Every structure is written in structure tokens, then in C-alpha cells.
Amino acid sequence: MKSFQVRPLAEGDRTWVTSVLNEHWGSARSVSRGRVYQADELPGFIAVIKDKPAGLITYDIDGKECEITTMNSLVEHQGIGSALVDAVKGVALTAKCKRLWLITTNDNTKALRFWQRRGFSLVAIHRNAVAQDRLLKPEIPLIGNNGIPIRDEIELEMVL
Ligand SMILES: CC(C)(COP(=O)(O)OP(=O)(O)OC[C@H]1O[C@@H](n2cnc3c(N)ncnc32)[C@H](O)[C@@H]1OP(=O)(O)O)[C@@H](O)C(=O)NCCC(=O)NCCS
């Protein structure tokens, strides 16, 4: 039996959502492909373990495309990340989206592994795009995971 549950975000979760995004991404703003989202106002799913929040995913549906805008597992290697992706995939299929996609950055090797293991393909490297992103979100650090300079947006997709 799974040790966690996944449910859609509710209004009562918003304060928590804002604090998780602030803590993990420097603010609740998310930037991808030159577009800024107020990610704490987007729809999403929360994973909970015994009523305690353990993961968050937010998304945005635009026509036939569904973008995963943020993803955080707070208790890793228990299937929470995978379950959150499945939840968004379900919504995207119901909305008749043809593409589920996301942007990560070149330093996020763990995420690159995670997404590819979950059926996503690398479809583009937007070289030096993060410099433009920083104009919209100055809190993006210069150096990321494992001391790697954060430079490129990497676009991954799953065709639905
Ligand atoms: C990337 C991230 C979302 C993965 O979340 P997660 O909850 O650890 O994901 P899962 O547990 O579903 O999968 C991770 C691994 O644990 C394994 N796993 C799942 N359940 C398990 C269990 N019960 N016991 C042991 N391993 C398990 C999975 O098989 C997977 O391994 P694999 O990559 O070899 O297939 C998480 O590391 C994270 O939040 N990172 C920081 C934020 C981030 O980078 N977000 C993505 C931005 S694009």
C-alpha cells in the first residue's frame, strides 16, 4: 500500500504552496520560454503523508499543450514525484492535450534523469536562455546543482 496520497490543490493549500516555492525556487514566480507564471496561483496536485505535505506539482494548460510549471518532492524515492506526474498527465489527457512538456535547466542532472526515466524526451536545448529568464526573475542563481553554472533551458516533452 502507498504511504502517501495525491489530491488536487485546494484554496486552503495556497499559503503552503507559496512557502514551498519560495523555499525551493527563490520565489513563487516561474519562468519558462520567456513567460512568467505566478505558480502559486496555478492548478496543481499535492502529495500528503498522514496529512503532512510531501510534494507539489503545478501546471498550466494552454490549448492542446500542458506545461508542468513546477515540481517538488519533499520526500524522495518513494514514488511521490512519479505519482504527481501521473496526476497531471491524467488531467492533460482529460483536457485532450497532445503534449505534456516542461523546462528544466542544464544543471539539474537529477531532474534530467527523472523525466527521461518517466518517458519524457529532450526536444530542445535553448542555449543561454536563462540570461533572459533572469531579467524576468533575478532571483535565479548563477550557479546551480553540483556547482554547474545555470545557463540553458532544456525542454522535455511527452507526446500524449
Ligand atoms: C526530481 C524529483 C521530483 C523526483 O522526485 P521523487 O519523489 O524522488 O521521485 P520518485 O520517487 O517517483 O522517483 C525517484 C526514484 O525513486 C525510485 N523509487 C520510487 N519508489 C521507490 C520506493 N518505494 N523505494 C525505492 N525507490 C523508489 C524511482 O524508481 C526512481 O528511481 P529511477 O529514477 O531509478 O527510476 C525530486 O528529486 C525533486 O523534487 N527534486 C528537486 C526539484 C526539482 O528538480 N524538480 C524538477 C524541476 S524540472
Side-chain angles (χ1 to χ4, degrees):
M1 204 178 91
K2 271 194 308 185
S3 59
F4 61 89
Q5 277 84 43
V6 170
R7 62 165 172 78
L9 284 174
E11 270 322 298
D13 299 317
R14 292 287 161 195
T15 308
W16 175 77
V17 170
T18 306
S19 72
V20 169
L21 295 174
N22 280 338
E23 184 182 337
H24 292 274
W25 302 110
S27 81
R29 277 185 301 179
S30 159
V31 183
S32 59
R33 306 306 303 122
R35 193 164 155 189
V36 185
Y37 298 92
Q38 193 61 38
D40 53 354
E41 294 172 2
L42 292 174
F45 289 88
I46 181 172
V48 290
I49 300 177
K50 293 186 184 142
D51 291 334
K52 205 165 161 252
L56 169 69
I57 192 166
T58 64
Y59 64 92
D60 179 66
I61 292 182
D62 185 2
K64 297 281 181 210
E65 304 208 339
C66 178
E67 178 180 357
I68 293 172
T69 41
T70 71
M71 157 70 123
N72 286 96
S73 171
L74 307 182
V75 183
E76 295 181 309
H77 301 291
Q78 289 195 18
I80 287 175
S82 304
L84 290 168
V85 177
D86 285 346
V88 173
K89 187 178 168 188
V91 171
L93 285 168
T94 303
K96 302 205 171 357
C97 291
K98 299 291 176 220
R99 184 169 108 104
L100 183 60
W101 71 283
L102 65 111
I103 292 289
T104 191
T105 46
N106 61 291
D107 63 306
N108 202 341
T109 52
K110 191 196 263 189
L112 286 167
R113 173 194 164 114
F114 173 81
W115 296 116
Q116 290 182 85
R117 294 267 295 163
R118 255 110 228 125
F120 287 76
S121 301
L122 277 77
V123 290
I125 299 176
H126 305 287
R127 290 186 68 196
N128 298 317
V130 180
Q132 291 298 315
D133 295 343
R134 282 198 190 90
L135 300 177
L136 301 165
K137 181 177 174 180
E139 53 273 31
I140 299 174
L142 291 170
I143 305 294
N145 297 316
N146 300 309
I148 301 173
I150 308 178
R151 292 196 184 105
D152 313 313
E153 287 190 349
I154 299 187
E155 184 173 334
L156 293 109
E157 74 170 23
M158 178 189 282
V159 175
L160 299 175

